């Protein structure tokens, strides 16, 4: 065995922990090293040791290239940010974080607290950032024009939204003499349609809305 080959092999020994760490199928360089020393001590020919060294050099080179390629590929994978959970989703069942605001609105506008909660659950499932395809926003899904008429500057603000939506709901309750189902129909389809059809409009969406909200209120 040439001195240079033996020097190279010693250097490879230092790399052994890195190559064998992730590639369990790679032959152990420590085992080969021990075999080569045994051959040298026993006086066997140096050709066998050289052949073993050549085999190890080839294997290590292949493994090293594989590791480098894997690292290069990994470095090219973009970091994907994790989107935070939408605000309000964690209280979709009860909306307990809004109890105080709802209680204040119920007292101010003389509405049952449960009715306000039932409307909020149906409209946004207690998500203050919810926005419909039509542009209705916030917990009680106020349309921009309606929000402005109610003095709501930011429909995504829970307090403004609940106060504004409760005010509008109380107006509908007063308009229809406390009839909750008609008030809900007007909240969904507008009082003009309720007046036009002299009752709950024959719209599938409005019928389902009234049934769902009223059912939640009575439960």
């Amino acid at each position: 065995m040439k001195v240079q080959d033996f020097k190279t092999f010693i250097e490879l020994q230092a790399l052994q922990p890195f190559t064998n760490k992730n590639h369990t199928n790679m032959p152990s360089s420590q085992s080969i090293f021990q075999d080569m020393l045994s051959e040298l001590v026993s006086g066997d020919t140096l050709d066998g040791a050289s052949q073993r060294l050549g085999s190890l050099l080839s294997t290590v080179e292949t493994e090293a290239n594989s590791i480098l390629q894997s690292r290069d590929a990994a470095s090219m994978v973009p970091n994907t940010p994790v989107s935070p959970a939408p605000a309000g989703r964690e209280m979709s069942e009860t909306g307990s974080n809004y109890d105080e605001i709802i209680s204040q609105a119920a007292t101010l506008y003389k509405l049952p607290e449960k009715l306000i909660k039932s409307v909020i659950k149906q409209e946004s499932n207690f998500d203050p950032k919810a926005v419909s395809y039509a542009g209705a926003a916030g917990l009680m899904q106020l349309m921009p024009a309606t929000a402005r008429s109610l003095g709501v500057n930011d429909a995504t603000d829970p307090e403004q939204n609940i106060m504004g939506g409760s005010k509008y709901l109380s107006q509908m309750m007063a308009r229809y003499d406390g009839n909750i189902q008609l008030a809900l129909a007007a909240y969904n389809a507008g009082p003009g349609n309720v007046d036009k059809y002299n009752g709950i409009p024959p719209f599938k969406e409005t019928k389902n809305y009234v049934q769902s909200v009223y059912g939640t209120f009575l439960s």
Side-chain angles (χ1 to χ4, degrees):
M1 178 185 294
K2 297 179 182 179
V3 174
Q4 183 60 38
D5 288 343
F6 192 80
K7 179 180 178 183
T8 301
F9 183 73
I10 293 300
E11 293 173 350
L12 289 175
Q13 277 295 102
L15 293 175
Q16 191 266 345
F18 299 98
T19 57
N20 284 352
K21 181 178 180 181
N22 299 315
H23 299 271
T24 56
N25 293 328
M26 180 181 173
S28 171
S29 59
Q30 183 177 2
S31 175
I32 297 175
F33 184 62
Q34 291 173 345
D35 291 344
M36 290 172 60
L37 286 179
S38 296
E39 290 177 357
L40 291 172
V41 172
S42 64
D44 289 344
T45 62
L46 299 181
D47 291 339
S50 296
Q51 290 175 0
R52 287 176 179 272
L53 177 57
S55 175
L56 179 62
L57 286 171
S58 177
T59 303
V60 171
E61 182 179 5
T62 300
E63 291 294 327
N65 287 335
S66 176
I67 293 171
L68 289 175
Q69 289 174 1
S70 298
R71 289 177 179 174
D72 289 342
S75 66
M76 295 175 66
V77 177
N79 293 324
T80 303
V82 178
S83 301
R89 292 298 186 187
E90 70 279 2
M91 45 201 162
S92 61
E93 291 301 320
T94 64
S96 59
N97 284 22
Y98 304 125
D99 279 351
E100 184 176 351
I101 301 173
I102 292 172
S103 178
Q104 292 174 359
T107 300
L108 180 61
Y109 297 111
K110 297 178 173 57
L111 294 171
E113 290 186 26
K114 192 170 182 180
L115 181 59
I116 298 174
K117 283 189 175 183
S118 298
V119 171
I120 294 175
K121 182 165 181 59
Q122 180 68 29
E123 292 287 354
S124 67
N125 199 27
F126 295 94
D127 181 0
K129 303 298 182 182
V131 178
S132 75
Y133 67 91
L139 291 166
M140 297 188 76
Q141 291 290 278
L142 302 177
M143 292 294 290
T146 303
R148 287 193 295 271
S149 70
L150 295 167
V152 176
N153 298 319
D154 181 4
T156 63
D157 177 75
E159 184 173 3
Q160 288 190 49
N161 192 286
I162 292 173
M163 287 297 181
S166 296
K167 181 179 180 180
Y168 184 69
L169 183 59
S170 75
Q171 291 174 354
M172 296 304 101
M173 288 283 284
R175 181 167 181 155
Y176 298 106
D177 300 321
N179 187 312
I180 293 177
Q181 295 188 63
L182 290 182
L184 291 174
Y187 193 96
N188 176 260
N193 281 315
V194 174
D195 294 343
K196 176 181 178 180
Y197 293 100
N198 195 30
I200 297 175
F203 309 144
K204 182 177 181 180
E205 178 187 340
T206 302
K207 287 183 175 181
N208 291 339
Y209 178 87
V210 173
Q211 182 179 4
S212 179
V213 177
Y214 194 62
T216 301
F217 172 65
L218 294 178
S219 64

